[in-house]
């Protein structure tokens, strides 16, 4: 009996072991470099000077909170848009497959290609400005490219990640049996009550998974920020690259500090967001 219980876990080892091994290697390398080891320009020695120097910079914290803001907005908006669509497409109807395919289409487009297309669309002489001028809505083109509020970056993140959230949530929504919803209806629960007390709690794990996946990807964004992001601030990924290239002596060590902080942001930020989602769903279900 005990052997039968261990069999599924043993079957996971061939796929799980390489993942854990490579992740541990990457994280261990970054942490070691951030405290003075694997120093390519000097002696290896334990030191917290790289942490002290980086965490004392106002620019670092500006970049850190900027990346956190982009990740939070992108994940929340993507899930908020994907969830009602997944509920709408829960039961197949004529044309539902076509709508579902169109929603998933952005997954086939590389993010860098999408960023360049978006920039061309909103550029000073792009289609959007030309259309607004021709329609008489504005007198002259408006500068919308590389806006200081990073609205373009959030739009791109949502456009790219909303299909991912849709895929994750759709399976959970469709797994809810009609008998459960019919039982709730027989007990007098209206549409809103069924959503709050039945559907949301049963799809909570899918919502959390979507939030975590999107948050991690958006926090470490490079391509969208480089092409369409603000020119007065960088993302964590950009800042890490700049720190490494600008400082020949200790660039790798300082970049490792930024990398560790980016991993911490991805881990604790996504888990916090998932925890808040669980708290909200529980409160709504009362």
């Amino acid at each position: 009996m005990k052997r039968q219980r261990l069999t599924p876990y043993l079957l996971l080892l061939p796929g799980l072991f390489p993942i854990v091994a490579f992740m541990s290697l990457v994280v261990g390398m970054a942490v070691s470099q951030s405290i003075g080891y694997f120093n390519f320009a000097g002696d290896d020695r334990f030191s917290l000077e790289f942490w002290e120097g980086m965490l004392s910079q106002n620019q670092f914290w500006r970049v850190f909170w900027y990346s956190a803001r982009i990740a939070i907005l992108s994940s929340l908006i993507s899930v908020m848009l994907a969830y009602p669509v997944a509920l709408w497409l829960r039961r197949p109807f004529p044309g539902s497959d076509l709508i579902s395919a169109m929603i998933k289409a952005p997954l086939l487009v590389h993010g860098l290609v999408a960023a360049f297309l978006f920039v061309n669309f909103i550029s000073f002489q792009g289609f959007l400005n030309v259309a607004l001028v021709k329609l008489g809505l504005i007198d002259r083109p408006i500068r919308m490219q590389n806006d200081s509020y990073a609205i373009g970056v959030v739009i791109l993140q949502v456009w790219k990640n909303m299909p991912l959230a849709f895929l994750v949530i759709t399976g959970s929504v469709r797994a809810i049996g009609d008998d459960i919803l019919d039982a709730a209806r027989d007990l007098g629960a209206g549409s809103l009550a069924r959503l709050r007390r039945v559907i949301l709690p049963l799809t909570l794990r899918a919502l959390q998974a979507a939030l975590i996946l999107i948050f991690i990807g958006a926090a470490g964004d490079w391509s969208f920020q480089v092409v369409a992001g603000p020119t007065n601030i960088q993302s964590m990924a950009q800042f890490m690259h700049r720190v490494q290239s600008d400082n020949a002596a200790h660039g790798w060590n300082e970049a490792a500090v930024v990398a560790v902080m980016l991993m911490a942001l991805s881990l604790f930020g996504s888990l916090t967001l998932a925890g808040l989602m669980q708290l909200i769903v529980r409160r709504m279900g009362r």
Side-chain angles (χ1 to χ4, degrees):
M1 187 69 177
K2 186 177 181 180
R3 185 177 180 181
Q4 292 179 348
R5 292 178 180 177
L6 290 176
T7 300
Y9 298 100
L10 294 175
L11 292 175
L12 289 174
L13 285 180
L16 189 61
F17 178 76
I19 296 174
V20 174
F22 282 116
M23 286 185 60
S24 301
L25 181 63
V26 171
V27 174
M29 182 76 174
V31 173
S32 298
Q33 278 193 316
S34 70
I35 56 176
Y37 297 104
F38 297 101
N39 193 341
F40 299 146
D43 297 331
D44 291 347
R45 60 183 179 84
F46 176 79
S47 176
L48 295 177
E49 62 177 304
F50 308 114
W51 280 94
E52 294 174 357
M54 188 57 61
L55 298 184
S56 62
Q57 294 184 26
N58 292 330
Q59 186 178 10
F60 168 78
W61 289 111
R62 186 165 175 256
V63 168
F64 181 87
W65 293 118
Y66 168 79
S67 296
R69 176 169 63 87
I70 294 298
I72 292 172
L73 289 176
S74 301
S75 54
L76 287 177
I77 296 174
S78 297
V79 170
M80 288 173 62
L81 291 177
Y83 195 73
V85 178
L87 291 176
W88 176 44
L89 297 176
R90 177 176 173 269
R91 291 183 175 180
F93 57 85
S96 61
D97 291 338
L98 177 61
I99 297 174
S100 179
M102 292 177 63
I103 293 173
K104 300 170 188 174
L107 294 174
L108 302 177
V109 182
H110 193 277
L112 192 59
V113 176
F116 276 108
L117 291 174
F118 177 76
V119 167
N120 288 331
F121 180 75
I122 66 168
S123 63
F124 199 74
Q125 298 296 334
F127 175 82
L128 182 59
N129 268 315
V130 171
L132 292 176
V133 172
K134 293 292 185 182
L135 292 173
L137 299 176
I138 56 176
D139 295 330
R140 55 184 179 178
I142 302 173
R143 178 172 178 80
M144 293 180 279
Q145 183 178 341
N146 302 106
D147 62 287
S148 58
Y149 296 101
I151 297 175
V153 176
V154 174
I155 291 174
L156 283 168
Q157 288 287 352
V158 172
W159 178 84
K160 186 65 176 176
N161 289 310
M162 187 269 197
L164 175 61
F166 174 76
L167 280 174
V168 174
I169 296 171
T170 297
S172 179
V173 170
R174 290 182 176 176
I176 301 175
D178 290 335
D179 52 344
I180 298 177
L181 298 178
D182 292 339
R185 187 184 293 108
D186 293 340
L187 292 173
S191 299
L192 184 59
R194 292 197 301 273
L195 175 64
R196 289 172 47 232
R197 299 185 178 182
V198 179
I199 299 176
L200 275 174
L202 291 177
T203 57
L204 174 61
R205 299 304 179 194
L207 289 172
Q208 291 176 317
L211 285 172
I212 290 173
L213 291 173
I214 297 172
F215 185 96
I216 293 173
D221 171 60
W222 170 272
S223 57
F224 291 162
Q225 176 65 23
V226 170
V227 178
T231 56
N232 61 336
I233 191 171
Q234 296 177 316
S235 65
M236 290 280 283
Q238 281 181 296
F239 186 69
M240 180 173 58
H241 179 266
R242 199 197 78 185
V243 165
Q244 185 275 323
S245 59
D246 288 352
N247 190 342
H250 302 294
W252 285 102
N253 302 98
E254 293 178 350
V257 175
V258 182
V260 173
M261 289 298 293
L262 176 57
M263 288 187 284
L265 171 63
S266 300
L267 176 61
F268 295 106
S270 59
L271 292 179
T272 301
L273 204 58
L276 289 175
M277 176 60 68
Q278 182 172 357
L279 180 63
I280 292 172
V281 170
R282 286 183 176 179
R283 286 185 176 273
M284 291 180 63
R286 290 180 180 177

